[in-house]
Amino acid sequence: MKFEGNASLLQQKMAGSSAGVARRLAVMNALSLQTGDTVLDVGCGAGHLVEDIGLAVGSGGKAFGLDPSETQLESARVRCDLLSNATFLCGMADKVDLPSVSCDAIASIQTLDYIEDVGATLAEVARLLKPKAHFVNVSVLWDNFKFHGADEKLNDLIHETFKAHCYHQMLPMELSGRMAKHGIGNIRTESLAFVMTQRHENSPATYAEMVLANFAISQGVEEEKVQQWRSQLEQAEAEGRFGFTSFPVLTVGTKL
Ligand SMILES: C[S@@+](CC[C@H](N)C(=O)[O-])C[C@H]1O[C@@H](n2cnc3c(N)ncnc32)[C@H](O)[C@@H]1O
């Protein structure tokens, strides 16, 4: 999935919603940053986490955000405009333009899910990390990313179609082993799972529904069917039987 145009806007809405705020708080706690640290966010999107990192490491520190999407980076630069220590790099996660052993910590939120060769990215993360530095990743268990309330057959069709939106459906289940292969150990995982029963403007369900709908149409599902699914969810919410569940997992390890 390319994070340009409308997909970029929806992703930014999702990042600004309650779920985005909660996962950044969990990531910041796991990073345990010190003032003066140099920190990289891989797949920084619109720069929400880079802003938090920049504020935490202070003017003597450095906050780098990396993303291949110029649309995402444009928003990130605006967001971090007042931070003198934030720098954005346009590029891919497996080839970062920073020196080896230069990072005190690296974070990545919901990005490895979209990268086919996770091993090449982890090798790059391992190259950049200083000894004992933390790598904190959040990826989603997509099999548990589910809407409830619509007709079962139609609901299944929309979810089945969405599987093609990223490379890895259940990455957190295998990430510990993959990180260990690249010399990142002392691994701990934490559930960031949540359930939403409303579709208001601060609810990730609202934006996730739009993402699934747009993706289904792009994959050839008839617009009428997609609209029917959305109407059924709306009806379910009105009748108090709507639900949306997501199961992001935080994985943190230390460079050995
Ligand atoms: C779901 S968004 C998450 C953005 C941000 N981390 C957040 O939580 O708001 C995934 C991001 O990964 C970026 N991305 C996709 N492929 C990438 C790659 N190979 N290397 C680095 N970033 C990538 C996309 O452009 C997009 O901004």
Side-chain angles (χ1 to χ4, degrees):
M1 190 160 123
K2 281 220 177 300
F3 290 89
E4 306 286 354
N6 200 29
S8 162
L9 281 180
L10 281 178
Q11 193 282 313
Q12 291 177 31
K13 289 277 192 188
M14 187 82 106
S17 75
S18 59
V21 172
R23 71 183 63 174
R24 282 193 296 283
L25 184 61
V27 167
M28 288 301 287
N29 284 336
L31 285 170
S32 28
L33 301 178
Q34 308 288 317
T35 50
D37 278 355
T38 294
V39 185
L40 169 68
D41 178 15
V42 176
C44 64
H48 295 77
L49 183 66
V50 175
E51 184 180 27
D52 291 347
I53 292 169
L55 292 169
V57 300
S59 56
K62 288 179 188 151
F64 289 99
L66 172 96
D67 206 286
S69 161
E70 262 305 338
T71 315
Q72 296 279 66
L73 290 178
E74 262 172 42
S75 302
R77 288 190 191 100
V78 171
R79 183 177 309 283
C80 297
D81 193 33
L82 296 178
L83 284 173
S84 60
N85 58 359
T87 306
F88 292 97
L89 310 168
C90 187
M92 307 291 260
D94 59 355
K95 202 167 186 295
V96 184
D97 191 14
L98 289 174
S100 298
V101 200
S102 59
C103 292
D104 296 291
I106 298 180
S108 188
I109 302 182
Q110 208 185 310
T111 293
L112 262 55
D113 318 32
Y114 299 94
I115 298 179
E116 187 169 11
D117 189 352
V118 171
T121 297
L122 291 175
E124 190 65 345
V125 165
R127 177 184 77 78
L128 294 167
L129 285 175
K130 296 178 183 175
K132 297 193 179 143
H134 290 325
F135 172 55
V136 180
N137 183 75
V138 174
S139 286
V140 174
L141 296 173
W142 291 103
D143 287 356
N144 302 89
F145 187 88
K146 282 263 186 283
F147 282 90
H148 302 260
D151 163 71
E152 200 178 325
K153 221 169 145 195
L154 181 55
N155 205 42
D156 287 351
L157 169 72
I158 302 287
H159 285 93
E160 199 54 38
T161 307
F162 196 58
K163 285 191 173 166
H165 98 288
C166 71
Y167 286 109
H168 306 283
Q169 302 300 316
M170 297 293 275
L171 186 61
M173 295 305 187
E174 51 188 79
L175 194 57
S176 305
R178 283 173 174 253
M179 281 163 61
K181 275 189 193 151
H182 292 279
I184 302 170
N186 300 323
I187 294 165
R188 153 180 95 73
T189 54
E190 182 184 326
S191 160
L192 304 180
F194 62 86
V195 55
M196 293 282 148
T197 54
Q198 288 181 315
R199 295 153 69 251
H200 53 66
E201 289 203 7
N202 193 33
S203 166
T206 305
Y207 307 110
E209 178 190 319
M210 293 182 200
V211 170
L212 263 71
N214 290 347
F215 193 79
I217 292 167
S218 77
Q219 297 293 297
V221 179
E222 296 101 309
E223 281 194 52
E224 203 180 310
K225 268 193 180 166
V226 174
Q227 195 44 53
Q228 199 182 357
W229 176 70
R230 297 191 69 181
S231 301
Q232 288 176 0
L233 293 180
E234 192 178 346
Q235 180 74 21
E237 186 189 11
E239 293 171 4
R241 52 179 183 80
F242 168 79
F244 168 64
T245 58
S246 181
F247 202 145
V249 176
L250 182 147
T251 308
V252 54
T254 307
K255 178 74 194 294
L256 301 174

